[in-house]
Amino acid sequence: MKKTSTRLADGRELIYYDLRDDSVRDAVDKRPLERTVTTSEVRRDPLLGDSVAIASHRQGRTYHPPADECPLCPSQGDRLSEIPDSSYDAVVFENRFPSLAGDSGRCEVVCFTSDHNASFADLTEEQARLVLEAWTDRTSELSHLPSVEQVFCFENRGAEIGVTLGHPHGQIYAYPFTTPRTALMLRSAAAHKEATGGENLFDAVLERELADERVVLESEHWVAFVPYAAHWPYEVHLYPKKRVPDLLGLDEDARTEFPKVYLELLRRFDRIFGENEPSTPYIAAWHQAPFGALEEFEGVNRDDFALHLELFTIRRTSGKLKFLAGSESGMNVFINDVPPEFAAERLREVASS
């Protein structure tokens, strides 16, 4: 992998990740852009104890442009985009309309491929490995920023999810706090460790799932399963079998095997609802340990956390979505219409030949 860092016309950082070491990335952003001005602010809710990003400038972000005006495609002739070069393998750049900025963190866009009509599932194993290396590199770099406490790599896919740009891409949020989901996991891990005399909660969960009927696929270094208490109609958790706190901790064997396992999982998702709906909307979310101090979670440290990816769709059956209505949105109590055991069975049925 070759990494080349440059700057866009408004001063934002852009980084090319290339498969070839001899790639030259010297194209200049010729757009007449003024420096990005953001109004991002993080406010803490005194009742719930969580944080909300207020980012009014995002109202003006690019919204469903036609394919020939996609800002994530390479620049071609007079059509200038966020990527100055005429081609790329994978690229990361600072979001022009960030939810978090400055002392409130940082937001980046990750373009998986220059092919506008592709998806992550269409990547080769070599391309998927390159994206993994980009995620890992950005996690490392962002973790050293003084304002950053947790790094979150994720992909939103599909208009049903709320995606406004059709090009295959994901995002990275670098939060100035530990997110509520992660805080809940750490508190549960601390309570379990105390109650069991030192047992790791993530190890216990993985051991139970490996012995149950909800395993979707398993390889030497990875396992994917539908969790016992799945929140979403079709939800899969992907764990490395060797517990590590973040992407940086993955060894070479796990990195080498990841592309094949993850691509197979995504392709199965695209077959859940049959040929009439081949592009399943989903969210893919990497859960990593915070990089800040964990004093509030007494009894656990970073190494007690387990890196894992959660992949889920809001589609519950063909042509129908799972809406977060009163119980889910008002009380955060999920009601799942699809039994996890059925979901796991269905994902095993659609395995590629």
Side-chain angles (χ1 to χ4, degrees), residues 214 226-237 273 311-317 320-325 327-328 332-344 347:
R214 291 177 302 277
V226 179
Y228 172 74
H231 289 57
W232 298 94
Y234 289 90
E235 175 182 342
V236 175
H237 293 190
F273 304 106
L311 173 68
F312 60 90
T313 179
I314 63 171
R315 185 174 289 163
R316 56 187 174 88
T317 189
K320 297 179 181 179
L321 301 180
K322 165 64 178 177
F323 292 102
L324 299 190
S327 186
E328 292 89 356
N332 200 29
V333 177
F334 277 69
I335 301 169
N336 191 350
D337 303 312
V338 179
E341 292 74 21
F342 175 86
L347 285 162

Side-chain angles (χ1 to χ4, degrees), residues 280-319:
T280 300
Y282 65 71
I283 292 174
W286 279 109
H287 290 262
Q288 305 192 80
F291 288 93
L294 301 181
E295 285 88 353
E296 64 178 295
F297 311 106
E298 186 175 353
V300 295
N301 53 47
R302 292 193 80 250
D303 290 334
D304 289 312
F305 193 86
L307 167 76
H308 63 283
L309 181 140
E310 297 184 8
L311 173 68
F312 60 90
T313 179
I314 63 171
R315 185 174 289 163
R316 56 187 174 88
T317 189
S318 182

Side-chain angles (χ1 to χ4, degrees), residues 2 9 18 20-21 24 39 48 53 60 63 77 88-89 123 126 142 157 179 254 275 290 304 306 344 346-347:
K2 181 180 180 181
D18 285 295
R20 293 172 55 95
D21 290 336
V24 177
T39 56
L48 298 179
Y63 187 80
Y88 65 84
D89 291 333
L123 300 183
E126 186 181 33
L142 293 170
R157 180 207 177 174
T179 63
E275 295 181 358
D304 289 312
R346 177 60 181 153
L347 285 162

Side-chain angles (χ1 to χ4, degrees), residues 210 215-224 241 257 261 268:
L210 279 167
V215 172
V216 174
L217 61 87
E218 182 180 357
S219 65
E220 184 178 355
H221 301 286
W222 295 86
V223 60
K241 289 184 177 178
E257 196 177 70
V261 173
R268 291 192 192 189

Side-chain angles (χ1 to χ4, degrees), residues 10 12 35-42 53-63 94-102 104-107 171 173:
D10 56 5
R12 288 175 294 132
R35 279 198 168 270
T36 300
V37 178
T38 64
T39 56
S40 179
E41 176 189 358
V42 173
I54 309 297
S56 60
H57 62 278
R58 285 176 52 79
Q59 287 279 36
R61 65 187 184 275
T62 308
Y63 187 80
E94 288 184 74
N95 198 320
R96 190 176 177 187
F97 304 97
S99 302
L100 306 165
S104 297
R106 176 159 158 152
C107 292
Q171 300 182 64
Y173 276 21

Side-chain angles (χ1 to χ4, degrees), residues 127-146:
Q127 289 174 306
R129 171 64 185 263
L130 182 65
V131 175
L132 174 63
E133 296 307 319
W135 284 331
T136 305
D137 179 69
R138 296 315 301 154
T139 296
S140 176
E141 293 291 329
L142 293 170
S143 71
H144 290 96
L145 296 180

Side-chain angles (χ1 to χ4, degrees), residues 181-199:
R181 285 281 304 262
T182 304
L184 283 173
M185 292 183 201
L186 289 168
R187 292 190 186 101
S188 295
H192 183 85
K193 189 174 184 178
E194 181 178 5
T196 60
E199 182 181 63

